[in-house]
C-alpha cells in the first residue's frame, strides 16, 4: 500500500490545499493529512477544530485520513507507515525552502521520499497566513477557502 503524508498547519485549510490533495489522491492508496502542532505559531483555530474542518471538506473521500501530530514530521511519517511526504510548491521561494527541508528529512530518514506538487497558477498566491490576516481584519475570505470552512471561522 502506497501511503503518503501531507503535513501542514491547515489554519485554515485553503483552496490551494484542497487542490494539492485532490491531485495527490490518485497517486496513493492512502493520504494522511497531518495537522502539525507548532507552539511557536499563533494559531487561529485549535487543533480539534482544524481536524473537524478538514473532515467536513473531505467527507466524500475514503482515501483521506486526518490526524494531528507533534514533533518531527519524518518521525510521524514513520509512525503511520508513510513512505512519501507531499509538499505543495507555489513559488520559487517555496521550492528553495521545501528542497532544504526535504534534504534534511532525507538525511534523517532516507526511506521517506518527498513529492513536490506544483500549485495551479490561480492558487499560487493563497496561503493560510494571508487568509488568517484577511479574516482577522474582517475581510471576505470566501474566494480562498472551501465553503465547508466558513462555519468554522
Amino acid at each position: 500500500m502506497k501511503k503518503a503524508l501531507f503535513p501542514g498547519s491547515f489554519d485554515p485549510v485553503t483552496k490551494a490545499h484542497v487542490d494539492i490533495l485532490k491531485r495527490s489522491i490518485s497517486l496513493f492508496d492512502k493520504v494522511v493529512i497531518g495537522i502539525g502542532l507548532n507552539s511557536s505559531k499563533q494559531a487561529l483555530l485549535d487543533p480539534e477544530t482544524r481536524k473537524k474542518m478538514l473532515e467536513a471538506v473531505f467527507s466524500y473521500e475514503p482515501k483521506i485520513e486526518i490526524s494531528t501530530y507533534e514533533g518531527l514530521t519524518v518521525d510521524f511519517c514513520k509512525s503511520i507507515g508513510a513512505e512519501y511526504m507531499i509538499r505543495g510548491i507555489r513559488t520559487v521561494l517555496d521550492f528553495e525552502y521545501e528542497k532544504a527541508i526535504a534534504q534534511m528529512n532525507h538525511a534523517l530518514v532516507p526511506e521517506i521520499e518527498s513529492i513536490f506538487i506544483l500549485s495551479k497558477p490561480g492558487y499560487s498566491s493563497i496561503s493560510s497566513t494571508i487568509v488568517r490576516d484577511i479574516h482577522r481584519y474582517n475581510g471576505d475570505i470566501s474566494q480562498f477557502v472551501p465553503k465547508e470552512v466558513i462555519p468554522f471561522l
Side-chain angles (χ1 to χ4, degrees), residues 91-142:
T91 65
V92 172
L93 291 175
D94 279 354
F95 175 74
E96 290 298 329
Y97 175 76
E98 294 295 344
K99 180 181 79 165
I101 291 175
Q103 289 171 332
M104 293 302 282
N105 286 340
H106 186 72
L108 293 169
V109 185
E111 60 271 17
I112 296 174
E113 195 64 55
S114 294
I115 307 293
F116 296 155
I117 298 181
L118 298 178
S119 173
K120 288 185 178 174
Y123 297 127
S124 63
S125 64
I126 301 173
S127 74
S128 291
T129 302
I130 294 170
V131 170
R132 273 195 312 274
D133 287 345
I134 294 168
H135 179 70
R136 277 195 181 106
Y137 295 103
N138 300 314
D140 179 11
I141 60 168
S142 62

Coordinates of all heavy atoms in Angstrom, one line a residue, residues 91-142:
T91 N 5.7 28.9 -5.2 CA 6.7 29.8 -5.8 C 8.1 29.3 -5.8 O 8.3 28.2 -5.1 CB 6.7 31.1 -5.0 OG1 7.2 30.9 -3.7 CG2 5.3 31.8 -4.9
V92 N 9.0 30.0 -6.4 CA 10.4 29.6 -6.3 C 10.9 29.6 -4.9 O 11.7 28.7 -4.5 CB 11.3 30.5 -7.2 CG1 12.8 30.3 -7.1 CG2 10.9 30.4 -8.7
L93 N 10.5 30.6 -4.1 CA 10.9 30.6 -2.7 C 10.4 29.4 -2.0 O 11.2 28.8 -1.1 CB 10.3 31.9 -2.0 CG 11.0 33.2 -2.5 CD1 10.3 34.4 -1.8 CD2 12.4 33.2 -2.2
D94 N 9.2 28.9 -2.2 CA 8.7 27.7 -1.6 C 9.6 26.5 -2.0 O 9.9 25.7 -1.2 CB 7.3 27.4 -2.1 CG 6.2 28.1 -1.4 OD1 6.4 28.8 -0.4 OD2 5.0 27.9 -1.8
F95 N 10.0 26.5 -3.3 CA 10.8 25.4 -3.7 C 12.1 25.3 -3.0 O 12.5 24.3 -2.5 CB 11.1 25.4 -5.2 CG 12.0 24.4 -5.7 CD1 11.6 23.1 -5.8 CD2 13.4 24.7 -5.9 CE1 12.6 22.1 -6.1 CE2 14.3 23.7 -6.3 CZ 13.9 22.4 -6.4
E96 N 12.8 26.5 -2.8 CA 14.1 26.5 -2.1 C 13.9 26.1 -0.7 O 14.7 25.3 -0.1 CB 14.7 27.9 -2.2 CG 15.2 28.3 -3.6 CD 16.3 27.3 -4.1 OE1 17.1 26.8 -3.3 OE2 16.3 27.1 -5.4
Y97 N 12.9 26.6 0.0 CA 12.6 26.2 1.4 C 12.3 24.7 1.5 O 12.8 24.0 2.3 CB 11.4 27.1 1.9 CG 11.0 26.7 3.3 CD1 11.7 27.1 4.4 CD2 9.8 26.0 3.5 CE1 11.3 26.8 5.7 CE2 9.3 25.7 4.7 CZ 10.1 26.1 5.8 OH 9.6 25.8 7.1
E98 N 11.4 24.2 0.7 CA 11.0 22.8 0.7 C 12.1 21.9 0.3 O 12.2 20.8 0.9 CB 9.7 22.6 -0.2 CG 8.5 23.3 0.3 CD 7.9 22.8 1.7 OE1 8.4 21.7 2.1 OE2 7.1 23.5 2.2
K99 N 12.9 22.3 -0.6 CA 14.1 21.5 -1.0 C 15.0 21.3 0.2 O 15.5 20.2 0.4 CB 14.8 22.1 -2.2 CG 16.0 21.3 -2.7 CD 16.8 22.0 -3.8 CE 17.6 23.1 -3.2 NZ 18.6 23.6 -4.1
A100 N 15.3 22.3 0.9 CA 16.2 22.2 2.1 C 15.6 21.3 3.1 O 16.3 20.5 3.7 CB 16.4 23.6 2.7
I101 N 14.3 21.4 3.4 CA 13.6 20.5 4.4 C 13.7 19.1 3.9 O 14.0 18.2 4.6 CB 12.2 21.0 4.6 CG1 12.2 22.3 5.4 CG2 11.4 20.0 5.4 CD1 10.9 23.0 5.6
A102 N 13.4 18.9 2.6 CA 13.4 17.5 2.0 C 14.7 16.9 2.1 O 14.9 15.7 2.5 CB 12.9 17.6 0.6
Q103 N 15.8 17.7 1.9 CA 17.1 17.1 2.0 C 17.5 16.8 3.5 O 18.1 15.8 3.7 CB 18.1 18.1 1.4 CG 18.0 18.2 -0.1 CD 18.8 19.3 -0.7 OE1 19.1 20.4 -0.1 NE2 19.2 19.2 -2.0
M104 N 17.1 17.6 4.4 CA 17.3 17.3 5.8 C 16.5 16.1 6.2 O 17.0 15.2 6.9 CB 17.0 18.5 6.7 CG 17.9 19.7 6.5 SD 19.6 19.3 6.8 CE 19.6 19.3 8.5
N105 N 15.2 16.0 5.8 CA 14.4 14.8 6.1 C 15.0 13.6 5.5 O 15.1 12.5 6.2 CB 13.0 15.0 5.6 CG 12.2 16.0 6.4 OD1 12.5 16.3 7.5 ND2 11.1 16.5 5.8
H106 N 15.6 13.7 4.3 CA 16.2 12.5 3.7 C 17.4 12.1 4.5 O 17.7 10.9 4.6 CB 16.5 12.8 2.2 CG 17.1 11.6 1.5 ND1 16.3 10.6 1.1 CD2 18.3 11.3 1.1 CE1 17.0 9.7 0.5 NE2 18.3 10.1 0.5
A107 N 18.2 13.0 5.0 CA 19.3 12.7 5.8 C 18.9 12.0 7.1 O 19.6 11.1 7.6 CB 20.1 14.0 6.2
L108 N 17.8 12.4 7.7 CA 17.3 11.8 8.9 C 16.7 10.4 8.7 O 16.9 9.5 9.4 CB 16.2 12.7 9.6 CG 16.8 14.0 10.1 CD1 15.6 14.9 10.5 CD2 17.7 13.8 11.3
V109 N 15.8 10.3 7.6 CA 15.1 9.1 7.3 C 15.1 8.9 5.8 O 14.2 9.3 5.1 CB 13.6 9.1 7.8 CG1 13.0 7.8 7.6 CG2 13.6 9.5 9.3
P110 N 16.2 8.2 5.3 CA 16.4 8.1 3.8 C 15.2 7.4 3.1 O 15.0 7.7 1.9 CB 17.7 7.3 3.7 CG 18.4 7.5 5.0 CD 17.3 7.7 6.0
E111 N 14.5 6.6 3.8 CA 13.4 5.8 3.1 C 12.1 6.6 2.8 O 11.2 6.1 2.1 CB 13.1 4.5 3.8 CG 12.6 4.6 5.2 CD 13.8 4.7 6.3 OE1 14.9 4.9 5.9 OE2 13.4 4.5 7.4
I112 N 12.0 7.8 3.4 CA 10.9 8.7 3.1 C 11.2 9.6 2.0 O 12.1 10.4 2.1 CB 10.4 9.4 4.4 CG1 10.0 8.4 5.5 CG2 9.3 10.4 4.1 CD1 9.6 9.0 6.8
E113 N 10.4 9.5 0.9 CA 10.6 10.3 -0.3 C 9.7 11.5 -0.2 O 8.5 11.4 0.0 CB 10.3 9.5 -1.5 CG 10.8 10.0 -2.8 CD 12.3 10.2 -2.8 OE1 13.0 9.1 -2.6 OE2 12.8 11.3 -3.1
S114 N 10.2 12.7 -0.5 CA 9.4 13.9 -0.7 C 8.9 14.1 -2.1 O 9.7 13.9 -3.0 CB 10.2 15.2 -0.3 OG 10.5 15.1 1.1
I115 N 7.6 14.3 -2.2 CA 7.0 14.5 -3.5 C 6.5 16.0 -3.6 O 5.7 16.4 -2.7 CB 5.8 13.6 -3.7 CG1 6.1 12.1 -3.4 CG2 5.1 13.8 -5.1 CD1 7.1 11.5 -4.4
F116 N 6.9 16.7 -4.6 CA 6.5 18.1 -4.7 C 5.5 18.2 -5.8 O 5.6 17.7 -6.9 CB 7.7 19.0 -5.1 CG 8.8 19.1 -4.1 CD1 10.1 19.4 -4.5 CD2 8.6 18.9 -2.8 CE1 11.1 19.5 -3.6 CE2 9.6 19.1 -1.8 CZ 10.9 19.3 -2.2
I117 N 4.4 18.9 -5.5 CA 3.3 19.1 -6.4 C 3.1 20.6 -6.6 O 2.9 21.3 -5.6 CB 2.0 18.4 -6.0 CG1 2.2 16.9 -5.9 CG2 0.8 18.8 -7.0 CD1 1.0 16.1 -5.5
L118 N 3.3 21.0 -7.9 CA 3.2 22.5 -8.1 C 1.8 23.0 -8.0 O 0.8 22.3 -8.6 CB 3.7 22.8 -9.5 CG 5.2 22.4 -9.8 CD1 5.6 22.7 -11.2 CD2 6.1 23.2 -8.8
S119 N 1.6 24.1 -7.4 CA 0.3 24.7 -7.3 C -0.2 25.2 -8.7 O 0.6 25.6 -9.5 CB 0.5 26.0 -6.4 OG -0.7 26.7 -6.4
K120 N -1.5 25.1 -8.9 CA -2.0 25.7 -10.1 C -1.8 27.2 -10.0 O -1.9 27.8 -8.9 CB -3.5 25.3 -10.3 CG -3.7 23.8 -10.6 CD -5.1 23.5 -10.9 CE -5.3 22.1 -11.3 NZ -6.7 21.7 -11.4
P121 N -1.6 27.9 -11.2 CA -1.4 29.3 -11.1 C -2.4 30.1 -10.3 O -2.0 31.1 -9.6 CB -1.3 29.7 -12.6 CG -0.9 28.5 -13.3 CD -1.5 27.3 -12.5
G122 N -3.6 29.8 -10.4 CA -4.7 30.5 -9.7 C -4.6 30.4 -8.2 O -5.2 31.2 -7.5
Y123 N -3.9 29.4 -7.7 CA -3.8 29.2 -6.3 C -2.4 29.7 -5.7 O -2.2 29.6 -4.5 CB -4.0 27.8 -5.9 CG -5.4 27.3 -6.3 CD1 -5.6 26.1 -7.1 CD2 -6.5 27.9 -5.9 CE1 -6.8 25.7 -7.4 CE2 -7.8 27.5 -6.2 CZ -7.9 26.3 -7.0 OH -9.2 25.9 -7.3
S124 N -1.5 30.1 -6.5 CA -0.1 30.3 -6.1 C 0.0 31.5 -5.0 O 1.0 31.5 -4.3 CB 0.8 30.6 -7.2 OG 0.4 31.7 -7.9
S125 N -1.0 32.3 -5.0 CA -0.9 33.4 -4.0 C -1.6 33.2 -2.7 O -1.6 34.0 -1.8 CB -1.4 34.7 -4.6 OG -2.8 34.6 -4.9
I126 N -2.3 32.0 -2.6 CA -3.1 31.7 -1.5 C -2.3 31.0 -0.4 O -1.7 30.0 -0.7 CB -4.4 30.9 -1.8 CG1 -5.2 31.6 -2.8 CG2 -5.2 30.5 -0.6 CD1 -6.4 30.7 -3.4
S127 N -2.3 31.5 0.8 CA -1.6 30.9 1.9 C -2.5 31.0 3.1 O -3.3 32.0 3.3 CB -0.2 31.5 2.2 OG -0.4 32.7 2.8
S128 N -2.4 30.1 4.1 CA -3.1 30.2 5.3 C -2.8 31.4 6.1 O -3.7 32.0 6.7 CB -2.9 28.9 6.2 OG -3.4 27.8 5.7
T129 N -1.6 31.8 6.0 CA -1.1 33.0 6.8 C -1.9 34.3 6.2 O -2.4 35.1 7.0 CB 0.4 33.3 6.6 OG1 1.0 32.1 7.1 CG2 0.8 34.5 7.3
I130 N -1.9 34.4 4.9 CA -2.6 35.6 4.3 C -4.1 35.5 4.6 O -4.8 36.5 4.9 CB -2.3 35.7 2.8 CG1 -0.9 36.0 2.6 CG2 -3.2 36.7 2.1 CD1 -0.4 35.9 1.2
V131 N -4.7 34.3 4.5 CA -6.1 34.1 4.7 C -6.4 34.5 6.2 O -7.4 35.1 6.5 CB -6.6 32.7 4.4 CG1 -8.0 32.4 4.9 CG2 -6.5 32.5 2.9
R132 N -5.6 34.0 7.1 CA -5.8 34.4 8.5 C -5.8 35.9 8.7 O -6.6 36.5 9.5 CB -4.7 33.8 9.4 CG -5.0 32.4 9.9 CD -4.0 32.0 11.0 NE -2.6 32.2 10.8 CZ -1.8 31.4 10.2 NH1 -2.2 30.3 9.7 NH2 -0.5 31.8 10.1
D133 N -4.8 36.6 8.1 CA -4.8 38.0 8.2 C -6.0 38.7 7.7 O -6.5 39.6 8.3 CB -3.5 38.6 7.5 CG -2.2 38.2 8.3 OD1 -2.3 37.9 9.5 OD2 -1.1 38.4 7.7
I134 N -6.4 38.3 6.5 CA -7.7 38.9 5.9 C -8.8 38.6 6.9 O -9.6 39.6 7.2 CB -8.0 38.3 4.5 CG1 -6.9 38.7 3.5 CG2 -9.3 38.7 4.0 CD1 -6.9 37.9 2.2
H135 N -8.9 37.4 7.4 CA -10.0 37.1 8.3 C -10.0 37.9 9.6 O -11.0 38.4 10.1 CB -10.0 35.6 8.7 CG -11.1 35.2 9.6 ND1 -12.4 35.2 9.3 CD2 -11.0 34.8 10.9 CE1 -13.1 34.8 10.3 NE2 -12.3 34.5 11.3
R136 N -8.8 38.1 10.2 CA -8.6 38.9 11.4 C -9.1 40.3 11.3 O -9.6 40.9 12.3 CB -7.2 38.9 11.8 CG -6.7 37.7 12.6 CD -5.4 37.9 13.3 NE -5.0 36.7 14.0 CZ -4.1 35.9 13.6 NH1 -3.3 36.1 12.5 NH2 -3.8 34.8 14.3
Y137 N -9.0 40.8 10.1 CA -9.5 42.2 9.8 C -10.8 42.3 9.1 O -11.1 43.2 8.4 CB -8.4 43.0 9.1 CG -7.2 43.1 9.9 CD1 -6.0 42.3 9.7 CD2 -7.1 44.0 11.0 CE1 -4.9 42.5 10.5 CE2 -6.0 44.2 11.8 CZ -4.9 43.4 11.6 OH -3.8 43.5 12.4
N138 N -11.6 41.2 9.3 CA -13.0 41.1 8.8 C -13.1 41.2 7.3 O -14.2 41.6 6.8 CB -13.9 42.1 9.5 CG -13.9 41.9 11.0 OD1 -14.1 40.8 11.5 ND2 -13.7 43.0 11.7
G139 N -12.1 40.8 6.6 CA -12.2 40.7 5.1 C -12.9 39.5 4.7 O -13.1 38.5 5.4
D140 N -13.3 39.5 3.4 CA -14.1 38.3 2.9 C -13.1 37.3 2.3 O -12.4 37.5 1.4 CB -15.0 38.8 1.7 CG -15.7 37.7 1.1 OD1 -15.8 36.6 1.6 OD2 -16.3 38.0 0.0
I141 N -13.0 36.1 3.0 CA -12.1 35.1 2.6 C -12.8 34.0 1.8 O -12.1 33.0 1.4 CB -11.4 34.4 3.8 CG1 -12.4 33.8 4.8 CG2 -10.5 35.5 4.5 CD1 -11.8 32.9 5.8
S142 N -14.0 34.1 1.5 CA -14.8 33.0 0.8 C -14.2 32.6 -0.5 O -14.4 31.4 -0.9 CB -16.3 33.5 0.6 OG -16.4 34.6 -0.2

